[in-house]
Amino acid sequence: HGDAAPTQNEIIQLLSQLYNSNLLSADAAPETDQLLRRGRERFKKKAAQQAIGIMYFRMKLFNPDGILSWMLPIFKPMLSLWGLAIWIAVVLFAVVRLLPEWTALTEGFGSTVAPSNWPWLIVVFIVTKAIHEAGHGLICKRFGGQVPEFGVMLLVLFPAPFVDASSAWTFDNKWKRIAVGAGGMLFELFIAAIAAIVWLNTQDGSLIKQIAYNAMFTASLSTVLFNANPLMRFDGYYMLSDFLEVPNLMQRSMNLQKFFFKRYAFGMENETPPSSQRSEQIILLVYGLAAMAYRVFLFISITLYVMTKLFAIGLVLAVWTGVMWFVLPIGKLIHWLASHASLAEHRSRAIAMTILMVIAGVGALGLIPFEDHRRAVGVVQSERDTDVFFRVDGLVTDVRVRPGDVVREGDVLVVSRSPERESELATALAEFNEARSVERRALVENPAAATVARERLQVLIAEIRHHQGKLEELVITAPHDGVVVGADPHAMMGRYVRAGEPATRVVDTSDLRIAAALSQTEAAWHFDIGADRYDVELRLLSQPEVAYRGGNVRVVEAGQARLPHESMGFAGGGQIETRADDQSGRLAKQAQFIMYLKPNFDDVADTDADAKAEGVGVGADEGERVALPWLGRPGEGVRLRFTLPRKPLLHQWADRLHKMVQGKVVL
């Protein structure tokens, strides 16, 4: 093979891998002791890997090859180019149908992640993942491979099935190997498309519609975020490795990073890189750094999420995984630095460089101050936001406003008519006229009877005024200046309404504020440092490119169960868990501290490039700020970012951890 021939080191590495995998055969009597020792070593290595990866624990159940062989003739017509064409058509049809329903689709997320839906979500997740794994197995069998293992993998203690389709590695065509890797996602996305069609054609509020949404959610979002993610050792990783034709991508990328440390930090000139090709080295280096950063991020985010839901289990996961991922590697590094033979001539430099890197890392994290940002979600509110109700039973005969109309205090909104009240008023007037005639006659004939008649007149006058007041209440007027919002009152035209039934809502848009809900731990920093020691940045969800400053911060110093707006709760797509028995969606399960603040109209924090090009929010001179009109509307969501005094990252992380465990363990 000339210059492309494998080197001696590559041959030795290949033989070593074959030996460790029990793939070497020799025409000689086996050494029983050696085989047993290697078996024990493989068992210990597998057990250690399971212990280290407790978040991804795997357990074999049975051999599914016979089941897949029985299923293959049924699905074989679909595992072809015609089947791919049908798959594309169904998925595209579902996407096109879903696009006009995007708002309803996003609003359904809140009900999906609500605790009441968790049992159905878990069942649907397991079923869709079983179909996912069947896709891997069937396509592997379609190309002549074997599937000897089916089992259950616990992803952060969450059950998920898996199959062993590693025989695809023997396929000489990389596109067949990629097809096996993509098979699970193809099957799962097809299920998501079918579920989308079912969801679009079922009645709101039905169980079938919720299950269909669950299937869409698990079979699309999870498959894209996890299975297709090449930074995790799932389908996307093996597909990327096959596409780049770089085998053992993860292991070799880690070995390349070790090589750079040994060669350039420790001065070990005799070290050999895992690849001699420049292009492959770049791929391994970029992938290794990205995968390592993502692994740390995933460990922290998953651990924190589990701790917020199941604190004790999350704490065990955090301690165990932290020890396995960080403490044990540090121990191995120390042992390697102290005793490895390859460091005989470089031990002093290696130890010194390691200590310097540790000091530099700890110093950067523990001494250098960085900006401390905290975040929250709020909603635009009006200082005067009034629900207008019908005060008398009646028939709606005239509606004079629509949502969005600007009204003044006293403007007529809705007019009703009540024949009962009109009849009662007419009766009272007739009785009044009769009583007045009696009084006049009594004044002439019987002064004592005139006194009784006069008292009767006073009672009737009060009754007439009462009926007139009730008739006046049939005319609904604006309680203050503002804008009509909510449902269209014209929908009630000609309908009989009851007293206390909502008519419309009037919001004063001239005096707006932001209301945010923070848990006790999230609000603690406000009470610790005071409102005058941090800055607030506001971004409307409808206008994220413009950042406004916030001011006049005020926090109610007592926890509130009622949220400022239903959009903050699970039912409205928010992140705050609400009570299961609450129909309004505004009663939080745990008390929240309500923060009120107002936008600063005279200062804009930042804008995007397009806004700057148009002169929006930025003056002619660099750094100059100009006033922008506040474009928020009542009920609109707002993202808030608080900038606290600068602190080292270790101090910030310790503070967040302390707030998280506060009240759950004794510190």
Side-chain angles (χ1 to χ4, degrees), residues 523-578:
W525 52 263
H526 167 83
F527 298 108
D528 291 341
I529 66 176
D532 57 338
R533 295 190 59 200
Y534 63 83
D535 296 325
V536 188
E537 180 182 287
L538 313 172
R539 290 181 185 266
L540 291 166
L541 295 184
S542 64
Q543 196 186 16
E545 70 277 6
V546 180
Y548 296 88
R549 300 294 184 191
N552 299 322
V553 178
R554 178 176 62 88
V555 178
V556 180
E557 297 186 2
Q560 307 288 321
R562 189 169 183 81
L563 300 176
H565 198 270
E566 52 269 20
S567 63
M568 294 181 173
F570 276 173
Q575 302 174 352
I576 300 175
E577 185 176 356
T578 52

Side-chain angles (χ1 to χ4, degrees), residues 198-218:
V198 173
W199 179 78
L200 289 167
N201 293 279
T202 49
Q203 186 178 1
D204 291 342
S206 64
L207 179 60
I208 295 178
K209 192 177 187 74
Q210 184 61 59
I211 292 176
Y213 192 98
N214 293 347
M216 274 195 300
F217 176 75
T218 57

Side-chain angles (χ1 to χ4, degrees), residues 261 265-266 333-334 336-337 347-360:
F261 271 99
F266 300 159
L333 174 62
I334 294 174
W336 182 78
L337 290 173
R347 199 175 310 280
S348 299
R349 174 176 173 175
I351 294 175
M353 289 298 298
T354 301
I355 294 174
L356 284 176
M357 286 187 289
V358 170
I359 293 174

Side-chain angles (χ1 to χ4, degrees), residues 386 388 401 406-414 475-482 484 504 506:
T386 307
V388 182
V401 293
V406 178
V407 296
R408 298 293 182 185
E409 182 178 355
D411 286 355
V412 176
L413 306 178
V414 182
V475 179
I476 306 298
T477 59
H480 52 74
D481 296 352
V484 177
T504 186
V506 178

Side-chain angles (χ1 to χ4, degrees), residues 149-206:
E149 186 174 320
F150 176 90
V152 175
M153 177 170 54
L154 297 181
L155 294 174
V156 198
L157 305 181
F158 201 85
F162 75 91
V163 297
D164 180 6
S166 57
S167 63
W169 297 345
T170 62
F171 299 164
D172 56 354
N173 188 322
K174 74 174 184 179
W175 296 109
K176 290 183 178 180
R177 299 195 300 270
I178 291 175
V180 173
M185 291 183 283
L186 292 174
F187 271 58
E188 207 167 354
L189 289 174
F190 187 80
I191 294 298
I194 298 299
I197 296 171
V198 173
W199 179 78
L200 289 167
N201 293 279
T202 49
Q203 186 178 1
D204 291 342
S206 64

Side-chain angles (χ1 to χ4, degrees), residues 569-598:
F570 276 173
Q575 302 174 352
I576 300 175
E577 185 176 356
T578 52
R579 297 179 185 175
D581 58 347
D582 173 39
Q583 299 297 324
S584 67
R586 296 182 62 177
L587 293 180
K589 191 172 183 179
Q590 295 182 348
Q592 303 288 315
F593 287 86
I594 309 302
M595 172 183 286
Y596 297 104
L597 61 154
K598 291 194 175 184

